[in-house]
Amino acid sequence: MDKIVQLQNIIDKSKSVVFFGGAGVSTESGIPDFRSQDGLYNQKYKFPPESIISHTFFVGHTAEFYEFYRDRMLYLSAQPNAAHLYLARAEAAGKLKAVVTQNIDGLHQAAGSRRVYELHGSVHRNYCTRCGAFYTAEYIKNSTGVPLCECGGIIKPDVVLYEESLDGKTIEGAVSAISSADTLIIGGTSLAVYPAAGFIDFFNGSNLVVINKTPTSADGRAQLVINGGIAKVFSQLKI
């Protein structure tokens, strides 16, 4: 049986679908991932990208952090692709119960998804480290040097940097959604980033589906594995 047909049948028979996604969901919207051949980790900068997006680097080299952040992590003109749009429609139809994402770009919400657990935060939320005032991603993008609040405090993106912990309420919601799903679709992620990748271990349902261009550590226990782009796969599905 064709794998798209198999996936359609699984979704049609499911009552509680949860989607767990990573960078591959957004690459087809023009946002680069981290670990592929052309990803951020394989590009040359004055400092290694994994060091730049750490809490220690943000505190000690804030100007350099923002130089990289504006250049390589803010893609505010990116638009939702077929994967984001399908998931939003599936939620509106009552089929999809939640999206758990490792992405920080906000494209799921832009597509219309409402229940989205952003494990690594969002570029669209930025707060003063002194007074807590809120600032938009556009404000950060258009600022120069270190963006400062009106009170003089440094503004920090609500993005989980290396050395920082995930948000407790977000973890609780994501785990609850995954553990109560009868179908978990993993898409666009290599499952290489922890603790996020470990969340799929809370899945107890009957249908585990993996959609990714390259093999993942979950392939061996999945009922269905599709090696391909997530947007192309979802564009062939019906609600």
Side-chain angles (χ1 to χ4, degrees):
M1 185 185 297
D2 178 85
K3 288 193 173 185
I4 299 298
V5 175
Q6 290 183 56
L7 177 57
Q8 185 72 64
N9 289 339
I10 289 173
I11 294 173
D12 288 345
K13 294 176 182 178
S14 300
K15 295 181 178 179
S16 178
V17 180
V18 168
F19 178 77
F20 181 93
V25 179
S26 294
T27 53
E28 293 175 76
S29 291
I31 299 177
D33 64 4
F34 281 74
R35 289 176 171 77
S36 69
Q37 185 176 353
D38 298 320
L40 293 181
Y41 285 175
N42 292 313
Q43 298 181 22
K44 302 299 182 183
Y45 289 94
K46 185 178 178 181
F47 300 95
E50 43 287 44
S51 298
I52 296 174
I53 51 177
S54 68
H55 179 81
T56 296
F57 195 92
F58 175 82
V59 173
H61 305 273
T62 312
E64 289 91 343
F65 169 88
Y66 269 111
E67 182 180 2
F68 176 87
Y69 182 79
R70 289 190 191 92
D71 184 40
R72 305 306 305 172
M73 299 185 74
L74 288 181
Y75 292 85
L76 304 186
S77 62
Q79 296 297 314
N81 61 51
H84 300 103
L85 296 171
Y86 171 81
L87 292 167
R89 293 197 304 272
E91 182 184 22
K95 180 66 69 171
L96 182 80
K97 301 306 179 183
V99 169
V100 180
T101 180
Q102 300 171 76
N103 297 335
I104 59 176
D105 49 53
L107 289 181
H108 285 294
Q109 291 91 332
S113 291
R114 297 187 175 217
R115 182 170 292 179
V116 182
Y117 296 104
E118 298 173 304
L119 298 179
H120 297 149
S122 172
V123 299
H124 295 284
R125 299 187 298 269
N126 304 273
Y127 299 98
C128 173
T129 55
R130 181 183 295 177
C131 74
F134 172 85
Y135 288 87
T136 65
E138 288 75 16
Y139 180 89
I140 301 299
K141 184 74 171 179
N142 295 327
S143 64
T144 57
V146 177
L148 299 177
C149 176
E150 292 182 0
C151 77
I154 295 173
I155 300 170
K156 181 182 182 298
D158 188 18
V159 170
V160 179
L161 304 176
Y162 285 116
E163 305 165 351
E164 295 180 343
S165 300
L166 305 187
D167 176 72
K169 289 185 177 180
T170 303
I171 292 175
E172 184 179 340
V175 169
S176 176
I178 291 172
S179 62
S180 61
D182 58 14
T183 294
L184 177 64
I185 302 175
I186 300 171
T189 174
S190 59
L191 295 175
V193 178
Y194 283 83
F199 284 26
I200 67 171
D201 293 335
F202 289 98
F203 177 64
N204 299 305
S206 54
N207 300 302
L208 179 64
V209 178
V210 177
I211 307 169
N212 199 51
K213 291 182 177 180
T214 57
T216 78
S217 58
D219 290 5
R221 48 181 162 146
Q223 279 68 50
L224 177 63
V225 177
I226 301 177
N227 293 127
I230 189 81
K232 183 178 181 180
V233 171
F234 278 174
S235 68
Q236 301 175 70
L237 298 177
K238 298 177 182 179
I239 302 299

